[in-house]
Each structure stands twice: as structure tokens, then as C-alpha cells.
Amino acid sequence: MARGTARAGEASGASAWALGLLVLLPIPLLGPLAAGGAMIAAYGSLSRQGPVAKANAAAARSWGRLFLIVSTSLLVLQLAIGLIRLTQPDAAASALFLLVMPLVLYVAVCAAHLVVVIVALARIRCGGSVRVPSRRSF
């Protein structure tokens, strides 16, 4: 058996990645916050369920943290640009591009998150483990 594969009956840690699907919540802005937070929080309980579950939960925690930081930063940037635009209504129309860009990036980051979560779940289902780049690997 390959290293990093779950035996029958052993926890795989897929639930930490499945929590990333909370991004699909129909409540605006809450889904991505809930998804990132839940992926981070799931590590605590899954780290005690075996080495495979711990490794997959650690990868989900790492990805969830990155996703939460990036998506929240884009939302804060959108809010800041919107407030600046509100206080200066006579700004040039070309500033509309700046107003929309963080929102477009936010949607792209959420779409990329969905792809990563689905690929990770498929990989775990096939018996593998998930690895995501981290600061330690650079």
C-alpha cells in the first residue's frame, strides 16, 4: 500500500476539505468566511484520527487559512475603494475599473477555491493524500 493512503475504516480527513464547499452558501459574503474558518477549525478534531486524516486536515487548514486571508483582504479593499469613491463622487469614470476589480478578483478566488476543494476531495476519495504549497516549502 502506498504511503499516505487510508486503510479501510481509517479516517481520511476528507471532511475538512468538504467544509470548503460552504463557499456555496447562498448568503452573500458569509460563505467564503464560513468555508475558510471551518476548514481551519476542522484540524483540531481530525488531527487525532490517524496520520492520513491529520495530513489531509493540515493541508485543508493551510489552504483554508490562505483562502480566508485573500478573500477577506479583497473584500476590505473593495470596501475601502467604495468608501473613497463615495466621498469623491466627481472622480473620473475611469475609476470604475478600480471599483470593480477587487470584486472580480474575489469571484475568481472563490472559483479557484471550489476547483481546489473538488480536486482535493477526488484525490482523497481515490485513496491519496493532498499536499498544498506552504511557506515551509519555499
Side-chain angles (χ1 to χ4, degrees), residues 28-49:
L29 309 178
L30 184 62
L33 295 175
M39 289 175 78
I40 294 168
Y43 177 78
S45 63
L46 290 173
S47 65
R48 296 182 292 274
Q49 294 185 8

Side-chain angles (χ1 to χ4, degrees), residues 11 14 32-33 50 60 62 76 88 90-92 95 104-105 110 123 130:
L33 295 175
S62 177
V76 168
Q88 299 174 355
D90 58 342
V104 170
L105 288 174
C110 288
R123 202 163 172 187
V130 180

Side-chain angles (χ1 to χ4, degrees), residues 1-19:
M1 177 174 21
R3 185 173 185 235
T5 57
R7 290 183 216 109
E10 187 178 332
S12 65
S15 59
W17 283 100
L19 288 170

Side-chain angles (χ1 to χ4, degrees), residues 30-119:
L30 184 62
L33 295 175
M39 289 175 78
I40 294 168
Y43 177 78
S45 63
L46 290 173
S47 65
R48 296 182 292 274
Q49 294 185 8
V52 175
K54 183 176 183 175
N56 285 331
R61 178 182 63 177
S62 177
W63 177 258
R65 185 181 310 132
L66 177 67
F67 175 65
L68 188 62
I69 290 169
V70 170
S71 63
T72 304
S73 299
L74 286 169
L75 288 175
V76 168
L77 181 63
Q78 178 70 39
L79 179 65
I81 291 173
L83 287 175
I84 291 170
R85 179 101 170 136
L86 238 148
T87 60
Q88 299 174 355
D90 58 342
S94 65
L96 184 63
F97 174 75
L98 284 176
L99 183 65
V100 178
M101 197 54 167
L103 192 59
V104 170
L105 288 174
Y106 176 76
V107 170
V109 166
C110 288
H113 170 75
L114 272 176
V115 170
V116 168
V117 166
I118 290 169
V119 168

